[in-house]
Amino acid sequence: MDLLKQKVKEDGVVIDERILKVDGFLNHQIDAELMWEVGETFYDQFKDEGITKILTIEASGIAPAIMVAKRFGVPCLFAKKAKPNTLNQDAYTTDIHSFTKNKTSHVMISKEFLDENDRILIIDDFLANGDASLGLNNLVEQAKAQTVGIGILVEKSFQPGRQKLNEAGLKVSSLCEVASLAGNKVTLVGEE
Ligand code: 5GP
């Protein structure tokens, strides 16, 4: 997706060799036009798959996920980072380690919103080590639903996320692949 690649190159801020800040268009201020294009692109890729729900994790996945959901005409469901007192037996739960915050969150989805008839497209802003997507897929499996695919906006190809997801039998589609953040510079796949 050319617009996303352009934004990543021009507005992405390299924090260190592993982390890219995208507050200008995705994680703080959100470029609505860009999110609309994300919705169109994933719809084109997955429109024949019988998707019943878009699944993401709060908070940064919600903006792209809701636009994808709008395009498919299905609900957008997000896993909540649960506080112990909000947990109950009517929820699927798992632990997800956050790459950027280096902390593990207990996340939950209420059982009323996910069941064995659901065909799920997972959407997330970044793919690094794959923990967020694997955790979301774990919730889908608990519900005996099916993950049809995983749509990622920015994949950091120098990290093992894709390989881990593929090993788990999951299909990954990313819109922008970052080959390296070395030298305080964003290098996309194909530019090396
Ligand atoms: P993973 O679970 O694949 O290791 O990491 C994906 C999650 O961590 C995403 O939900 C995203 O919020 C966050 N993340 C991973 N890498 C980056 C990054 O370089 N920049 C930002 N802004 N978020 C990231």
Side-chain angles (χ1 to χ4, degrees), residues 18-22 27 57 60 97-100 124-133 156 159 181:
R18 299 178 320 145
I19 297 186
L20 181 68
K21 190 170 171 178
V22 291
N27 285 165
I57 181 167
S60 54
H97 184 76
S98 163
F99 170 74
T100 43
D124 206 3
D125 57 346
F126 273 86
L127 177 60
N129 292 324
D131 292 326
S133 294
K156 290 178 292 176
Q159 292 179 300
L181 296 174

Side-chain angles (χ1 to χ4, degrees), residues 18-76:
R18 299 178 320 145
I19 297 186
L20 181 68
K21 190 170 171 178
V22 291
D23 279 8
F25 59 94
L26 184 52
N27 285 165
H28 189 18
Q29 173 172 268
I30 297 165
D31 185 324
E33 183 69 26
L34 177 64
M35 294 306 112
W36 182 84
E37 278 199 28
V38 166
E40 291 295 313
T41 306
F42 283 130
Y43 180 73
D44 285 345
Q45 292 180 8
F46 290 96
K47 62 178 180 297
D48 300 325
E49 301 280 1
I51 302 293
T52 62
K53 228 160 251 190
I54 307 300
L55 177 63
T56 190
I57 181 167
E58 68 175 348
S60 54
I62 296 175
I66 201 158
M67 292 298 252
V68 179
K70 164 70 182 151
R71 188 63 187 86
F72 277 87
V74 300
C76 171

Side-chain angles (χ1 to χ4, degrees), residues 121-190:
L121 175 60
I122 292 173
I123 296 288
D124 206 3
D125 57 346
F126 273 86
L127 177 60
N129 292 324
D131 292 326
S133 294
L134 284 171
L136 291 172
N137 181 59
N138 178 292
L139 297 171
V140 172
E141 285 179 342
Q142 288 181 45
K144 298 186 170 49
Q146 197 191 336
T147 301
V148 173
I150 300 180
I152 299 289
L153 276 68
V154 183
E155 174 182 353
K156 290 178 292 176
S157 304
F158 56 92
Q159 292 179 300
R162 179 182 285 263
Q163 188 187 337
K164 281 161 69 178
L165 297 178
N166 287 343
E167 281 168 8
L170 296 164
K171 176 181 168 187
V172 180
S173 169
S174 63
L175 305 181
C176 174
E177 289 179 71
V178 175
S180 156
L181 296 174
N184 205 26
K185 179 173 174 272
V186 180
T187 305
L188 301 183
V189 168

